[in-house]
Amino acid sequence: MPTYSYVCTSCGHTFDTHQTFSEEALTECPKCKKELRKQFGNLGVSFKGTGFYKNDSVPARSSDSD
Ligand SMILES: [Zn+2]
């Protein structure tokens, strides 16, 4: 049975669980009930992809007061 690693995107709780391929992926942190993210073994999957988009939403400083 494959082992999946999960990490909570909210509290950072990590744990491994055994699931078959037919089982649904977990989505809820057992600690804080927030969103889990599945980690994939040794592939070094990063969290850098989507989700963090600070650069896109930098508020323009229109009030350049003096
Ligand atoms: Zn959590």
Side-chain angles (χ1 to χ4, degrees):
M1 202 178 287
T3 303
Y4 295 103
S5 298
Y6 290 90
V7 58
C8 176
T9 60
S10 181
C11 74
H13 177 55
T14 58
F15 64 98
D16 298 329
T17 186
H18 297 282
Q19 290 186 289
T20 64
F21 285 110
S22 57
E23 280 184 273
E24 266 186 51
L26 303 180
T27 56
E28 194 177 80
C29 175
K31 282 197 166 186
C32 69
K33 307 301 182 186
K34 296 293 176 57
E35 185 181 350
L36 284 177
R37 187 185 294 265
K38 186 186 278 185
Q39 299 188 114
F40 294 94
N42 303 317
L43 294 180
V45 172
S46 71
F47 303 153
K48 295 172 195 165
T50 55
F52 302 99
Y53 43 85
K54 282 181 180 174
N55 293 337
D56 263 354
S57 57
V58 176
R61 283 192 138 196
S62 55
S63 58
D64 197 15
S65 60
D66 182 14

